[in-house]
Amino acid sequence: METTPAAQPPFPVPARCSPPDLLVLGAGGPVGLAWQLGWLAETAHLLGNGVPVIGTSAGAMAGALLLLGPERRQAITAALRTAAQQATAPAPADTTPARTATPPDTELRQAAAATYAGGPKAIRALGKLMAARPDDGSHLEQVRQMVGEEWPAGDLTVVAREVSTGERKIFRGTVPLFLAVAGSSAAAGRTGPVSVSGQEYIDGGYGSLLNSDLARGARTVWLLAPAGLGSFTPETVPALMRQELAELRATGTHVEAFTPHGDFTDLGAFTEAGRALDDGGEVARTWLNRP
C-alpha cells in the first residue's frame, strides 16, 4: 500500500520527536479511545501514515482513524465530545417508577480479570461466557460506521484474541477493516464475540493491554497506554504492563511511553470522554514542548 511521509511541521521540533519506527496504541475502552484521539490531535502531523501502527482494542480504533486521515478522525473526536456532553446533561423529569439497576455481571468481570494471568485457557473460558450472553449487534454496526470496510493506506496491525484457541490473532488487511477492529474491541459486558471468516474473536486487550512484545526489533517506539500504568484494575495489570515495557526496553528498543495525567478509573464511562480528550492533548503538548 502507498504511504505518505510525515508532514513537516511549520516549526523546529526536538530530535526526540522525530517519527518513531513504530507506534503502539493500547487498550482502554471508550475513554482510552478518546484519550488517544486527543493525543493524536497534537502529534498526527509528525506521524503521517508512514509509521507502522500496532493497535489493540481502543488502540486498533485509534490507529485506524489515524491512518484514515484527519477528516474521519476529527469527526469521531467531535462525536465523542458530544456523547460526553449528552451523558453528563441532566435527565428530564420522569414520573414513572424507577427501575432497579441491572447488577454488574460478576461472573464476566471475574473471568475477564483472570485472562491477565490465566493465559489462553482463561481467554477461551471468557469467550464462551461472552457467547452465552445476548448480543444485539450494535457494536459491530457502530464500528462499521466509525471506520468502514476498506483498510487505509499505511501499515496497520490489529490485535484480537481467538475464542477457540485463546491465542492472539493478527489482522493485517485480509478481512474488512470494521470486522478486524470490532473483534479487537469486543469487550465483555458490552458485546459478544465477533465472527470473522468463521472464527469468533474477542478483545485483543485480554491477556495484554499493550501487546508490546510485537514491537520487538524496532529501534524506536512510541507507546500509548491509556489505561495507565498504575491505576487500572485488576491490581495485577499495572505490574504486568510495566513488566512488558521493561522486557521491550531490555531488547534495546527505545520506548517513549505515554499515559494519562488524570485518573480515569472507569474506562467505559462516556461521561469522561471529554476530559480524556483534553488530557490526551495536554500530555502530548507537554511532551512536545519539553526542553
Side-chain angles (χ1 to χ4, degrees):
M1 291 179 288
E2 293 185 1
T3 61
T4 57
Q8 293 300 313
F11 51 85
V13 295
R16 62 182 170 76
C17 298
S18 298
D21 294 336
L22 192 63
L23 178 65
V24 176
L25 303 177
V31 170
L33 171 61
W35 187 84
Q36 290 180 102
L37 289 178
W39 188 91
L40 288 169
E42 303 294 332
T43 58
H45 66 283
L46 298 173
L47 295 163
N49 69 349
V51 175
V53 179
I54 297 174
T56 298
S57 192
M61 176 71 73
L65 291 170
L66 169 66
L67 297 179
L68 285 167
E71 184 175 344
R72 179 81 64 99
R73 187 173 65 253
Q74 290 164 9
I76 298 302
T77 297
L80 279 170
R81 194 174 291 279
T82 298
Q85 293 169 347
Q86 292 174 343
T88 56
D94 189 352
T95 58
T96 59
R99 296 181 179 179
T100 304
T102 302
D105 193 325
T106 303
E107 186 179 26
L108 266 183
R109 188 171 63 247
Q110 291 176 343
T115 65
Y116 298 102
K121 181 179 179 180
I123 292 170
R124 291 196 303 269
L126 173 62
K128 291 178 181 178
L129 284 177
M130 290 173 62
R133 269 55 175 185
D135 179 17
D136 63 4
S138 59
H139 171 68
L140 193 62
E141 183 56 32
Q142 183 181 52
V143 176
R144 185 201 297 267
Q145 293 177 10
M146 293 175 76
V147 302
E149 298 196 11
E150 299 297 323
W151 287 70
D155 187 343
L156 174 63
T157 296
V158 173
V159 184
R161 295 282 174 172
E162 188 172 331
V163 172
S164 64
T165 64
E167 300 290 346
R168 187 162 56 193
K169 171 67 177 180
I170 303 300
F171 291 106
R172 290 175 55 85
T174 56
V175 301
L177 177 62
F178 79 95
L179 285 178
V181 174
S184 177
S185 57
R190 296 196 183 98
T191 185
V194 171
S195 180
V196 183
S197 301
Q199 294 291 334
E200 292 190 324
Y201 297 94
I202 61 174
D203 200 299
Y206 292 124
S208 170
L209 291 170
L210 303 175
N211 289 293
S212 60
D213 60 299
L214 294 174
R216 290 178 183 175
R219 185 176 58 87
T220 57
V221 170
W222 290 358
L223 182 146
L224 275 62
L229 296 175
S231 61
F232 192 70
T233 55
E235 294 179 357
T236 56
V237 172
L240 291 174
M241 287 198 289
R242 288 192 293 269
Q243 180 181 340
E244 276 193 53
L245 285 179
E247 290 174 351
L248 180 58
R249 286 170 170 148
T251 67
T253 297
H254 176 75
V255 182
E256 288 278 3
F258 301 89
T259 60
H261 285 166
D263 186 20
F264 298 94
T265 55
D266 184 357
L267 298 175
F270 274 99
T271 54
E272 296 277 37
R275 188 165 70 92
L277 282 164
D278 294 338
D279 188 282
E282 179 191 355
V283 168
R285 289 190 298 274
T286 299
W287 181 69
L288 290 170
N289 295 326
R290 193 178 72 198

